Amino acid sequence: MTVSIYDLETWDKEYVWHPFTQMKVYRQEKPLIIERGEGSYLYDIEGKKYLDGYSSLWVNVHGHNHPELNAALTEQAGKIAHSTLLGSANVPSILLAKKLVDNTPPNLTKVFYSDSGSTSVEIALKMAYQYWKLKDPARFSGKKSKFISLREAYHGDTIGSVSVGGMDTFHHIFKPLLFDRLEAPAPYTYRLTENNDEEACKTMCLDALEAILKERHSEVAGLIIEPLVQGAAGMITAPVGFLRGVRELCTRYNVLMIADEVAVGFGRTGTLFACEQEQVEPDFLCIAKGLTAGYLPLAATLTTEEIFEAFLGEPEELRTFFHGHTYTGNQLACAVALKNIELIEREDLLATLPNKINFLAQKLIPFRELPHVGDVRQQGMMIGIELVQEKASKKTFPAQMQVEHQVILRARMGGAIIRPLGPVIVLMPILSMSTGELEQLIDITYEAIATVTVRAHALQR
Ligand SMILES: *Cc1c(COP(=O)(O)O)cnc(C)c1O
């Protein structure tokens, strides 16, 4: 049986339920069906090619269909695809754990594997919670059990990670299922201050966090934060020194710090991990998206010797961390992740970034002059362009106009795939993209925003 393009489009609409997607709208449009990828480009089933301007949802590092990553995968497949980490070990997961420990902040020495960003966060939350129970039951049992997270935080979609989430649109409906969290303000400079005053924003947010900690620290097990950039919230970039300030407050008030580097890890912010930029050593580091360079689902939660040791004891003491997933430490995924880090090192990928980051910064300047661009945020290779209907009031376009969606469709016609987050157009180029490709991506995005927003505004009046 040969399958036609028509069949695929029909069956997609008939059988596949897409994530984070209003299927009523989706089914009214022609689906974009990707068939293959090559370097910085994606190709659909009609053979049309597009720049991958969102790194296939923030995961791709070295480009698609990379010969060495492919080889690492097939070589491992020729040995074994999977055996369990419950009670036994495997070669790639050992090598990768050592590699991760060597390349993350020095205090992190233990690696716990899972399969997605959400699970890496669940694990950190559960470990932090159990840690306080184990540490000094008489003093802490039942007391240090709450978590602090930021407004607009996104840490994944499982119930635990949603519990520490702060995005009303995604999370409100599940409220009755969630555990309570304490909310600290997000350092959203554009919306919290008059003239993008980063210093004022930082002070305001750290003071508010300190007020919470001062009053409630005895109940708080941990604080979770997306270092430097709150990604899903719309690329909210933190003022310099904010992360460092949060670390100091956690230390002062005896609260464990969980760094969710699922999005910002693996070079996105310009350094391998975002925490490095402010010399921060978190108590937990959650990594996923870029870990396998966009090849396979794999995640890890790294933690310290002190946390690990609290879980040691005789089996009957029940200090064990009773958590694990069937595919924990999967060999194929670990083999590719190892090759990903080897490639980053061998090609000195991080040293190539400052040029690209500066180039992007230059290319982003004209966006600020556009009548409906309220704010342009960049941290390394992560970019958010916030659209507004009116600059003075910072009012966004009415949701039903779907302006952001129209921008994305127009960019697609221009040959680039990008995605919005609410009123923010996100650019997340593949780290290996050439300057020429970055220029093309920015030009397509500029044209799409300029055309669609002006037209939408005219329609409104
Ligand atoms: C994407 C993301 C997650 C969730 O990762 P999944 O692999 O989709 O479960 C968690 N935290 C942050 C900061 C993310 O960007």
Side-chain angles (χ1 to χ4, degrees), residues 399-426:
Q400 67 272 19
M401 289 184 77
Q402 295 207 29
V403 172
E404 299 78 18
H405 186 59
Q406 297 307 319
V407 170
I408 264 60
L409 292 182
R410 184 156 180 109
R412 194 186 294 177
M413 283 186 352
I417 299 180
I418 54 179
R419 280 183 62 84
L421 283 164
V424 180
I425 304 297
V426 171

mmCIF file of all heavy atoms in Angstrom, residues 399-426:
data_model
loop_
_atom_site.group_PDB
_atom_site.id
_atom_site.type_symbol
_atom_site.label_atom_id
_atom_site.label_comp_id
_atom_site.label_asym_id
_atom_site.label_seq_id
_atom_site.Cartn_x
_atom_site.Cartn_y
_atom_site.Cartn_z
ATOM 1 N N ALA A 399 -6.795 38.254 22.359
ATOM 2 C CA ALA A 399 -6.410 36.875 22.052
ATOM 3 C C ALA A 399 -7.129 36.343 20.805
ATOM 4 O O ALA A 399 -6.543 35.624 19.998
ATOM 5 C CB ALA A 399 -6.696 35.977 23.251
ATOM 6 N N GLN A 400 -8.415 36.736 20.657
ATOM 7 C CA GLN A 400 -9.186 36.150 19.545
ATOM 8 C C GLN A 400 -8.655 36.575 18.162
ATOM 9 O O GLN A 400 -8.987 35.970 17.155
ATOM 10 C CB GLN A 400 -10.690 36.446 19.675
ATOM 11 C CG GLN A 400 -11.082 37.899 19.529
ATOM 12 C CD GLN A 400 -11.030 38.644 20.866
ATOM 13 O OE1 GLN A 400 -10.391 38.219 21.823
ATOM 14 N NE2 GLN A 400 -11.721 39.775 20.938
ATOM 15 N N MET A 401 -7.812 37.612 18.135
ATOM 16 C CA MET A 401 -7.240 38.019 16.836
ATOM 17 C C MET A 401 -6.133 37.074 16.377
ATOM 18 O O MET A 401 -5.781 37.053 15.205
ATOM 19 C CB MET A 401 -6.673 39.448 16.937
ATOM 20 C CG MET A 401 -7.742 40.503 17.039
ATOM 21 S SD MET A 401 -6.996 42.149 17.023
ATOM 22 C CE MET A 401 -6.604 42.350 15.285
ATOM 23 N N GLN A 402 -5.595 36.308 17.306
ATOM 24 C CA GLN A 402 -4.550 35.330 16.981
ATOM 25 C C GLN A 402 -3.401 35.933 16.179
ATOM 26 O O GLN A 402 -2.918 35.342 15.207
ATOM 27 C CB GLN A 402 -5.157 34.167 16.179
ATOM 28 C CG GLN A 402 -6.159 33.375 16.983
ATOM 29 C CD GLN A 402 -6.240 31.934 16.485
ATOM 30 O OE1 GLN A 402 -5.291 31.359 15.966
ATOM 31 N NE2 GLN A 402 -7.399 31.354 16.650
ATOM 32 N N VAL A 403 -2.986 37.119 16.589
ATOM 33 C CA VAL A 403 -1.932 37.821 15.858
ATOM 34 C C VAL A 403 -0.634 37.002 15.834
ATOM 35 O O VAL A 403 0.002 36.857 14.792
ATOM 36 C CB VAL A 403 -1.674 39.211 16.494
ATOM 37 C CG1 VAL A 403 -0.458 39.876 15.872
ATOM 38 C CG2 VAL A 403 -2.895 40.104 16.309
ATOM 39 N N GLU A 404 -0.282 36.433 16.995
ATOM 40 C CA GLU A 404 0.976 35.672 17.080
ATOM 41 C C GLU A 404 0.929 34.472 16.142
ATOM 42 O O GLU A 404 1.916 34.150 15.478
ATOM 43 C CB GLU A 404 1.248 35.223 18.525
ATOM 44 C CG GLU A 404 1.402 36.378 19.503
ATOM 45 C CD GLU A 404 0.074 37.015 19.932
ATOM 46 O OE1 GLU A 404 -0.989 36.373 19.752
ATOM 47 O OE2 GLU A 404 0.088 38.157 20.431
ATOM 48 N N HIS A 405 -0.214 33.816 16.113
ATOM 49 C CA HIS A 405 -0.368 32.657 15.235
ATOM 50 C C HIS A 405 -0.214 33.073 13.765
ATOM 51 O O HIS A 405 0.412 32.373 12.977
ATOM 52 C CB HIS A 405 -1.738 32.010 15.485
ATOM 53 C CG HIS A 405 -1.948 30.735 14.732
ATOM 54 N ND1 HIS A 405 -1.113 29.641 14.896
ATOM 55 C CD2 HIS A 405 -2.874 30.375 13.804
ATOM 56 C CE1 HIS A 405 -1.527 28.662 14.095
ATOM 57 N NE2 HIS A 405 -2.590 29.083 13.419
ATOM 58 N N GLN A 406 -0.765 34.236 13.425
ATOM 59 C CA GLN A 406 -0.633 34.730 12.042
ATOM 60 C C GLN A 406 0.839 35.023 11.710
ATOM 61 O O GLN A 406 1.292 34.782 10.595
ATOM 62 C CB GLN A 406 -1.466 36.006 11.826
ATOM 63 C CG GLN A 406 -2.973 35.829 12.002
ATOM 64 C CD GLN A 406 -3.522 34.693 11.150
ATOM 65 O OE1 GLN A 406 -3.127 34.517 9.993
ATOM 66 N NE2 GLN A 406 -4.411 33.888 11.729
ATOM 67 N N VAL A 407 1.572 35.540 12.694
ATOM 68 C CA VAL A 407 3.004 35.813 12.483
ATOM 69 C C VAL A 407 3.735 34.507 12.162
ATOM 70 O O VAL A 407 4.540 34.429 11.230
ATOM 71 C CB VAL A 407 3.642 36.491 13.729
ATOM 72 C CG1 VAL A 407 5.162 36.552 13.607
ATOM 73 C CG2 VAL A 407 3.068 37.892 13.926
ATOM 74 N N ILE A 408 3.416 33.486 12.919
ATOM 75 C CA ILE A 408 4.067 32.182 12.748
ATOM 76 C C ILE A 408 3.750 31.604 11.372
ATOM 77 O O ILE A 408 4.619 31.047 10.684
ATOM 78 C CB ILE A 408 3.629 31.237 13.913
ATOM 79 C CG1 ILE A 408 4.663 31.268 15.007
ATOM 80 C CG2 ILE A 408 3.415 29.816 13.495
ATOM 81 C CD1 ILE A 408 4.914 32.575 15.629
ATOM 82 N N LEU A 409 2.494 31.746 10.946
ATOM 83 C CA LEU A 409 2.108 31.215 9.632
ATOM 84 C C LEU A 409 2.815 31.977 8.511
ATOM 85 O O LEU A 409 3.245 31.394 7.517
ATOM 86 C CB LEU A 409 0.588 31.282 9.447
ATOM 87 C CG LEU A 409 -0.221 30.342 10.344
ATOM 88 C CD1 LEU A 409 -1.711 30.480 10.035
ATOM 89 C CD2 LEU A 409 0.208 28.885 10.183
ATOM 90 N N ARG A 410 2.936 33.283 8.704
ATOM 91 C CA ARG A 410 3.608 34.073 7.670
ATOM 92 C C ARG A 410 5.104 33.721 7.600
ATOM 93 O O ARG A 410 5.679 33.612 6.518
ATOM 94 C CB ARG A 410 3.430 35.571 7.931
ATOM 95 C CG ARG A 410 4.030 36.381 6.809
ATOM 96 C CD ARG A 410 3.425 37.751 6.665
ATOM 97 N NE ARG A 410 4.091 38.418 5.541
ATOM 98 C CZ ARG A 410 3.521 38.661 4.377
ATOM 99 N NH1 ARG A 410 2.276 38.308 4.156
ATOM 100 N NH2 ARG A 410 4.196 39.259 3.414
ATOM 101 N N ALA A 411 5.719 33.528 8.763
ATOM 102 C CA ALA A 411 7.127 33.132 8.785
ATOM 103 C C ALA A 411 7.295 31.775 8.095
ATOM 104 O O ALA A 411 8.284 31.536 7.395
ATOM 105 C CB ALA A 411 7.643 33.069 10.224
ATOM 106 N N ARG A 412 6.335 30.914 8.281
ATOM 107 C CA ARG A 412 6.407 29.595 7.649
ATOM 108 C C ARG A 412 6.400 29.739 6.126
ATOM 109 O O ARG A 412 7.154 29.072 5.422
ATOM 110 C CB ARG A 412 5.227 28.729 8.113
ATOM 111 C CG ARG A 412 5.410 27.266 7.779
ATOM 112 C CD ARG A 412 4.177 26.449 8.100
ATOM 113 N NE ARG A 412 3.883 26.390 9.532
ATOM 114 C CZ ARG A 412 2.810 25.778 10.042
ATOM 115 N NH1 ARG A 412 1.943 25.175 9.249
ATOM 116 N NH2 ARG A 412 2.602 25.776 11.343
ATOM 117 N N MET A 413 5.537 30.640 5.643
ATOM 118 C CA MET A 413 5.526 30.901 4.193
ATOM 119 C C MET A 413 6.877 31.429 3.735
ATOM 120 O O MET A 413 7.333 31.135 2.642
ATOM 121 C CB MET A 413 4.423 31.905 3.836
ATOM 122 C CG MET A 413 3.052 31.283 3.815
ATOM 123 S SD MET A 413 1.713 32.373 3.237
ATOM 124 C CE MET A 413 2.423 33.979 3.069
ATOM 125 N N GLY A 414 7.511 32.205 4.619
ATOM 126 C CA GLY A 414 8.820 32.766 4.298
ATOM 127 C C GLY A 414 9.958 31.763 4.426
ATOM 128 O O GLY A 414 11.095 32.071 4.082
ATOM 129 N N GLY A 415 9.667 30.584 5.003
ATOM 130 C CA GLY A 415 10.684 29.545 5.065
ATOM 131 C C GLY A 415 11.323 29.336 6.423
ATOM 132 O O GLY A 415 12.435 28.809 6.511
ATOM 133 N N ALA A 416 10.622 29.714 7.505
ATOM 134 C CA ALA A 416 11.176 29.451 8.839
ATOM 135 C C ALA A 416 10.071 28.954 9.762
ATOM 136 O O ALA A 416 8.941 29.430 9.697
ATOM 137 C CB ALA A 416 11.805 30.710 9.429
ATOM 138 N N ILE A 417 10.415 28.012 10.608
ATOM 139 C CA ILE A 417 9.458 27.541 11.598
ATOM 140 C C ILE A 417 9.827 28.127 12.950
ATOM 141 O O ILE A 417 10.925 27.934 13.459
ATOM 142 C CB ILE A 417 9.417 25.999 11.659
ATOM 143 C CG1 ILE A 417 8.989 25.457 10.304
ATOM 144 C CG2 ILE A 417 8.451 25.546 12.746
ATOM 145 C CD1 ILE A 417 8.912 23.966 10.223
ATOM 146 N N ILE A 418 8.888 28.913 13.498
ATOM 147 C CA ILE A 418 9.065 29.497 14.819
ATOM 148 C C ILE A 418 7.758 29.302 15.579
ATOM 149 O O ILE A 418 6.767 28.837 14.993
ATOM 150 C CB ILE A 418 9.428 31.008 14.745
ATOM 151 C CG1 ILE A 418 8.398 31.784 13.917
ATOM 152 C CG2 ILE A 418 10.811 31.183 14.132
ATOM 153 C CD1 ILE A 418 8.692 33.290 13.835
ATOM 154 N N ARG A 419 7.752 29.594 16.889
ATOM 155 C CA ARG A 419 6.532 29.427 17.676
ATOM 156 C C ARG A 419 6.331 30.606 18.615
ATOM 157 O O ARG A 419 7.299 31.205 19.063
ATOM 158 C CB ARG A 419 6.585 28.136 18.493
ATOM 159 C CG ARG A 419 6.239 26.889 17.693
ATOM 160 C CD ARG A 419 6.248 25.669 18.598
ATOM 161 N NE ARG A 419 5.252 25.774 19.665
ATOM 162 C CZ ARG A 419 3.960 25.447 19.520
ATOM 163 N NH1 ARG A 419 3.514 24.985 18.382
ATOM 164 N NH2 ARG A 419 3.124 25.571 20.528
ATOM 165 N N PRO A 420 5.075 30.910 18.933
ATOM 166 C CA PRO A 420 4.832 31.961 19.920
ATOM 167 C C PRO A 420 4.590 31.362 21.296
ATOM 168 O O PRO A 420 4.286 30.173 21.421
ATOM 169 C CB PRO A 420 3.533 32.587 19.416
ATOM 170 C CG PRO A 420 2.780 31.435 18.830
ATOM 171 C CD PRO A 420 3.801 30.419 18.366
ATOM 172 N N LEU A 421 4.743 32.182 22.320
ATOM 173 C CA LEU A 421 4.293 31.829 23.669
ATOM 174 C C LEU A 421 3.461 33.017 24.101
ATOM 175 O O LEU A 421 4.018 34.081 24.374
ATOM 176 C CB LEU A 421 5.482 31.644 24.600
ATOM 177 C CG LEU A 421 6.267 30.332 24.467
ATOM 178 C CD1 LEU A 421 7.604 30.431 25.153
ATOM 179 C CD2 LEU A 421 5.476 29.157 25.021
ATOM 180 N N GLY A 422 2.143 32.873 24.090
ATOM 181 C CA GLY A 422 1.272 34.010 24.348
ATOM 182 C C GLY A 422 1.619 35.117 23.369
ATOM 183 O O GLY A 422 1.745 34.868 22.166
ATOM 184 N N PRO A 423 1.820 36.352 23.879
ATOM 185 C CA PRO A 423 2.105 37.471 22.978
ATOM 186 C C PRO A 423 3.576 37.553 22.564
ATOM 187 O O PRO A 423 3.985 38.539 21.957
ATOM 188 C CB PRO A 423 1.727 38.688 23.826
ATOM 189 C CG PRO A 423 1.972 38.260 25.223
ATOM 190 C CD PRO A 423 1.687 36.787 25.286
ATOM 191 N N VAL A 424 4.349 36.556 22.897
ATOM 192 C CA VAL A 424 5.795 36.619 22.642
ATOM 193 C C VAL A 424 6.179 35.695 21.485
ATOM 194 O O VAL A 424 5.845 34.510 21.490
ATOM 195 C CB VAL A 424 6.585 36.234 23.912
ATOM 196 C CG1 VAL A 424 8.087 36.287 23.656
ATOM 197 C CG2 VAL A 424 6.212 37.157 25.069
ATOM 198 N N ILE A 425 6.881 36.257 20.500
ATOM 199 C CA ILE A 425 7.424 35.443 19.418
ATOM 200 C C ILE A 425 8.798 34.964 19.872
ATOM 201 O O ILE A 425 9.657 35.767 20.238
ATOM 202 C CB ILE A 425 7.571 36.266 18.112
ATOM 203 C CG1 ILE A 425 6.226 36.893 17.714
ATOM 204 C CG2 ILE A 425 8.144 35.406 16.985
ATOM 205 C CD1 ILE A 425 5.122 35.921 17.381
ATOM 206 N N VAL A 426 8.975 33.656 19.863
ATOM 207 C CA VAL A 426 10.202 33.069 20.401
ATOM 208 C C VAL A 426 11.126 32.629 19.268
ATOM 209 O O VAL A 426 10.685 31.994 18.315
ATOM 210 C CB VAL A 426 9.854 31.849 21.281
ATOM 211 C CG1 VAL A 426 11.118 31.076 21.666
ATOM 212 C CG2 VAL A 426 9.095 32.292 22.521
#
